[in-house]
Amino acid sequence: MWNKLSEGITSLFFIALFALVAWGWVLNIIAIAHTEHVTGMTIIRAIGIFLFPLGAIFGWFF
């Protein structure tokens, strides 16, 4: 019983983690869409569109 419960909790954790990472990536795209001029951060965010983990981090924290 505990094994099934721990598998379920682990699955929910990874699904939630993936959802948060995906939303950070979307926030990165939204930030690029609202940019009026190109800066170094805009270029890094554009690279983050193609490098999913980088885009997720920049979407949430910068």
Side-chain angles (χ1 to χ4, degrees), residues 2-39:
W2 289 105
N3 194 20
K4 292 279 187 186
L5 181 62
S6 66
E7 286 177 8
I9 291 172
T10 303
S11 296
L12 286 175
F13 172 77
F14 281 110
I15 290 169
L17 181 66
F18 180 78
L20 289 172
V21 168
W23 183 244
W25 185 71
V26 169
L27 289 174
N28 185 41
I29 294 173
I30 292 170
I32 290 172
H34 288 119
T35 301
E36 295 186 12
H37 58 286
V38 177
T39 63

